[in-house]
Amino acid sequence: MKYDIILSGVGGQGILSIATVIADAALHAGLCVKQAEVHGMSQRGGEVESGLRLSDTEIFSDLLPTGSADMILSMEPMEALRYLPFLSAGGVIVTSSVPLMNIPDYPEKAVSEELKRLPNAVCIDIESIAKSISMPKAANMVLLGAASSRIGLLAPEALREGIARVFAGKGQQIVEANLKAFNAGLNETK
Amino acid sequence: MEKTRLLLGDEAVALGALHAGIKGVYAYPGTPSTEITEFIQKSSLARERGVHASWSTNEKTAMEEALGMSYAGRRSMVCMKHVGMNVAADAFVNSAMTGVNGGLVVVAADDPSMHSSQNEQDSRFYGKFAMIPIVEPSTQQEAYEMTAYAFSLSEQLKLPVLFRLTTRLAHSRAAVNVNDTPGPLQELPVAKDPSSWVLLPANARRRNDALTALQPRLRKLAADSPFLVEKNTGKHAVTGIVTCGTGYNYVMENRPDCPVLKIPQYPLPDEKISGFAENCDEILVVEDGQPFIEEQIRAFIGKDKKVRGRLTGDLPRTGELNPDLVASALGKAVQPLRSKPEAVVPRPPALCMGCGHRDVYIALNKVLADYENARVFADIGCYTLGALPPFCAIDSCVDMGASITMAKGAADAGVWPAVAVIGDSTFTHSGMTGLLDAVNDGSDITVVISDNLTTAMTGGQDSSGTGKFEKICSALGVEPEHLRVVVPLQKNMDEIMDTIRQEIDYHGVSVIIPRRECMQTLARKQRKQKE
């Protein structure tokens, strides 16, 4: 069994932290993992993407083939749509509903209509949720929480343990804050 | 004993090198190679062992420093991006002539599709040019294991070994089984044979003959590599696939039932490939990068068999490979169910809000609007983004340091004003020598060294010249009254513009240093203080 995820967003939104948590959880669950990141120039406010592949058998390619993603997990609505050709027939989209408009003439209306047309798209205002629990910088963990009940091969509890390990070096307070954000996201989509 | 760690390809190489007992890593930051050195800098094992890991000024100094460490009998590693090989080339090619003492591994990280680069050159050509062994892993696990292998190979042959990575492996994470206990630091006696190390023509001719005579043995070693993989062989097939590196992963993703030969080491094991091809009607070559294997095997089996690949259009001539492109070459093309909606528009990278380079370009654009024939020669770094809207402020960006020298050449031909824009780290990397040329000729150029106190583009590494720029420029002969420092902030805009105008109107070499710390490194420091 395999589960392929495309993580997308804009440079600086924290998609690599999400990828790190999922990959860490997968490693501890004894799964095979491949996580392709983008570094360098594209991090400067441009589009960023990370392909994350989980499987109980050997994974060969670091890159996802077309039409193979079981989930697109996005910090930004237009960035969710950018990778649509990778989505499998039954694949789901879990995305932030809040556009990041750092380009001229952002097509806000067209993006939102496009997402509405897709049968398996969940749009969540992760930024409002993060603010409501006084953790505006943990919107990425809210998103992960919101997607967690749908991610195959890993239960929400395994992801919580991943958060605890990944943020352990930054102190218990940071771990708790990120867990709170994760749980807030999970409750939103339960 | 082994344990499992989640590692980038870069990190796997770094850990492999530490476990192979290196005494030093020498490097200049460059995507996608930077994380190798950073991993060693953060490693407690490296600290305990006193492993050298601070940044070098450029790839050539790095290569020579590593060669010196090898001379002294210790294992050393050099890391760079592919274009760094051009800078290190003189030392690199000649290190094959001297040979090495302690193991020396040169890691070159290629960037097919140019995710963060200005060309797509394939470093394997450098290895062939220098006539040394090249190793090329496919997976993070192999990246870890092949590093120790490469050091042993280097000491066994007394040659440097080129270690080729590509972006996709360098920047992808996977579970890697690593040794629980690192191997000991390796140490050999200091070299003392000047006839090998003094490349006078008489010595060099002898070394050249020896290196050339070694080539059949290097081919045999490539054929016998423990990392070579053969699958589905032994029966006749229409198509056989010859592949390497990340290309192998895309082949295997498509579950081929035809014969597959993965080449992990060069010079190309020609007899092995000929033997493999005997049972196949045609060969498909799948390699990330330029058609390095494809061109060579055409020469020795192309007469008898069709060789397909990038040169025949079965795979694209340029760009990174992926599972879809390989599927298509295997006749298994997949059509996407959905296309990218029209609502999706490009989102190019941009200079950070609050970045000092922004203020520099705003000022330059305003001043240069008054000079009809002004040209701005820029350089490699975050400030290359000044080419994009809203600035559209630069006319060229070619290679590390080319801003000053191209401005000088253009000024020699009568272009005025000729302005160079270069970052602090790029200036010490390759800008200083060009500035000396300009001073010696009294060239009419205005050089802007936009100093953000770091190597920002690659993530904020230490910059060799921090705190030394005024001294360097003065020592190179820039007149003190034409060496100006400003703080790039909106509130200082009038002063910055006046300074630029005055120095353009001075018909000689001027240097203006706008200096303000990178927003990213500043924010990181502030976060650390809070924690």
Side-chain angles (χ1 to χ4, degrees), chain B residues 2 14 30 47 77 124 217 221 232 290 308 318 325 329 375 383 423 456 465 480:
Chain B
E2 287 194 336
R47 267 197 303 277
M77 183 161 75
R124 291 176 298 173
R217 184 170 164 216
L221 283 167
N232 311 327
Q290 293 173 320
R308 298 198 290 129
T318 61
L325 294 170
R375 292 292 186 276
Y383 48 94

Side-chain angles (χ1 to χ4, degrees), chain B residues 106-371:
Chain B
V106 181
V107 184
D110 290 353
D111 191 16
S113 278
M114 300 177 266
H115 297 281
S116 309
S117 307
Q118 68 272 41
N119 76 30
E120 216 175 36
Q121 66 184 58
D122 189 321
S123 297
R124 291 176 298 173
F125 285 98
Y126 267 115
K128 184 169 189 285
F129 187 45
M131 298 197 288
I132 61 167
I134 310 165
V135 294
E136 183 176 19
S138 296
T139 63
Q140 292 78 358
Q141 183 70 44
E142 283 186 351
Y144 172 74
E145 292 171 15
M146 242 183 218
T147 310
Y149 171 81
F151 276 106
S152 303
L153 189 66
S154 171
E155 282 176 6
Q156 178 196 342
L157 295 165
K158 292 289 167 195
L159 284 177
V161 171
L162 181 62
F163 194 106
R164 186 206 187 210
L165 287 173
T166 53
T167 302
R168 201 49 64 186
L169 177 55
H171 281 176
S172 175
R173 236 175 258 282
V176 180
N177 294 320
V178 304
N179 294 333
D180 227 358
T181 38
L185 276 171
Q186 299 288 322
E187 189 164 8
L188 295 168
V190 179
K192 56 181 176 190
D193 176 15
S195 70
S196 293
W197 291 90
V198 180
L199 292 178
L200 278 168
N203 291 337
R205 281 184 210 112
R206 195 173 36 76
R207 294 289 308 162
N208 193 30
D209 288 344
L211 181 61
T212 307
L214 202 55
Q215 297 304 306
R217 184 170 164 216
L218 301 189
R219 287 184 198 281
K220 176 80 169 53
L221 283 167
D224 295 341
S225 162
F227 299 98
L228 185 134
V229 176
E230 285 180 281
K231 285 194 187 288
N232 311 327
T233 51
K235 53 181 193 292
H236 176 264
V238 176
T239 307
I241 302 174
V242 175
T243 183
C244 62
T246 38
Y248 172 75
N249 304 339
Y250 307 139
V251 169
M252 295 308 293
E253 181 75 23
N254 284 293
R255 319 273 159 194
D257 43 23
C258 62
V260 176
L261 173 65
K262 180 177 90 164
I263 307 291
Q265 189 173 324
Y266 313 83
L268 214 54
D270 45 2
E271 284 174 19
K272 182 90 204 171
I273 293 170
S274 298
F276 172 83
E278 262 170 30
N279 270 335
C280 310
D281 297 336
E282 61 166 25
I283 295 293
L284 173 68
V285 184
V286 179
E287 57 188 322
D288 239 338
Q290 293 173 320
F292 178 77
I293 295 179
E294 191 178 342
E295 276 183 357
Q296 291 182 69
I297 71 172
R298 271 177 166 228
F300 60 83
I301 61 170
K303 274 204 304 280
D304 312 320
K305 294 186 198 283
K306 187 167 169 88
V307 177
R308 298 198 290 129
R310 288 188 184 268
L311 294 170
T312 53
D314 291 272
L315 288 163
R317 183 65 181 81
T318 61
E320 183 180 21
L321 296 179
N322 62 42
D324 299 329
L325 294 170
V326 175
S328 177
L330 291 169
K332 299 180 178 181
V334 185
Q335 290 308 315
L337 299 159
R338 303 180 182 89
S339 53
K340 185 165 78 179
E342 277 175 27
V344 178
V345 293
R347 194 192 300 263
L351 287 169
C352 304
M353 285 302 154
C355 168
H357 296 317
R358 283 182 172 263
D359 300 304
V360 171
Y361 283 130
I362 290 168
L364 258 183
N365 276 349
K366 283 187 181 161
V367 172
L368 295 181
D370 297 338
Y371 297 86

Side-chain angles (χ1 to χ4, degrees), chain B residues 341-490:
Chain B
E342 277 175 27
V344 178
V345 293
R347 194 192 300 263
L351 287 169
C352 304
M353 285 302 154
C355 168
H357 296 317
R358 283 182 172 263
D359 300 304
V360 171
Y361 283 130
I362 290 168
L364 258 183
N365 276 349
K366 283 187 181 161
V367 172
L368 295 181
D370 297 338
Y371 297 86
E372 200 187 338
N373 298 314
R375 292 292 186 276
V376 178
F377 302 90
D379 225 302
I380 311 274
C382 289
Y383 48 94
T384 315
L385 294 171
L388 305 178
F391 305 107
C392 303
I394 67 173
D395 297 292
S396 78
C397 164
V398 182
D399 65 79
M400 295 288 282
S403 54
I404 297 176
T405 31
M406 279 186 68
K408 183 205 180 298
D412 289 346
V415 170
W416 187 83
V419 179
V421 175
I422 187 167
D424 49 309
S425 185
T426 305
F427 176 72
T428 42
H429 179 288
S430 289
M432 298 187 292
T433 43
L435 184 59
L436 182 59
D437 282 350
V439 167
N440 288 344
D441 275 358
S443 305
D444 189 359
I445 63 169
T446 305
V447 177
V448 178
I449 303 176
S450 196
D451 182 6
N452 57 8
L453 311 174
T454 188
T455 312
M457 177 90 263
T458 44
Q461 293 75 24
D462 290 341
S463 171
S464 300
T466 299
K468 305 186 183 85
F469 291 99
E470 287 90 321
K471 277 190 223 157
I472 292 171
C473 294
S474 304
L476 290 172
V478 177
E479 298 293 337
E481 58 273 33
H482 297 291
L483 178 53
R484 316 278 298 266
V485 179
V486 294
V487 179
L489 282 168
Q490 187 55 41

Side-chain angles (χ1 to χ4, degrees), chain A residues 13-162:
Chain A
Q13 282 190 318
I15 71 158
L16 289 186
S17 298
I18 303 180
T20 308
V21 169
I22 302 176
D24 179 89
L27 185 70
H28 278 83
L31 296 169
C32 297
V33 192
K34 286 247 179 186
Q35 181 220 330
E37 302 180 353
V38 174
H39 297 207
M41 201 158 208
S42 34
Q43 285 180 313
R44 303 278 182 269
E47 57 207 49
V48 288
E49 177 252 327
S50 169
L52 187 52
R53 315 192 73 187
L54 315 176
S55 176
D56 52 14
T57 57
E58 185 178 5
I59 305 163
F60 289 102
S61 172
D62 299 273
L63 290 171
L64 272 68
T66 290
S68 73
D70 300 287
M71 176 184 283
I72 292 175
L73 184 55
S74 183
M75 289 294 291
E76 208 278 343
M78 185 170 78
E79 296 310 319
L81 294 173
R82 192 179 302 280
Y83 304 98
L84 214 48
F86 286 97
L87 199 62
S88 67
V92 298
I93 295 177
V94 180
T95 180
S96 163
S97 60
V98 188
L100 196 155
M101 297 194 237
N102 64 347
I103 45 171
D105 307 321
Y106 184 102
E108 191 176 4
K109 192 152 167 269
V111 164
S112 124
E113 279 171 5
E114 196 70 50
L115 278 165
K116 272 186 207 136
R117 265 203 293 278
L118 291 165
N120 296 325
V122 183
C123 301
I124 311 147
D125 186 348
I126 55 170
E127 290 181 20
S128 296
I129 297 170
K131 276 182 201 138
S132 74
I133 54 167
S134 312
M135 268 174 290
K137 287 192 174 159
N140 56 349
M141 290 301 128
V142 175
L143 182 73
L144 178 59
S148 62
S149 57
R150 292 178 171 79
I151 294 175
L153 296 171
L154 287 173
E157 193 46 40
L159 293 167
R160 279 198 199 96
E161 288 166 13

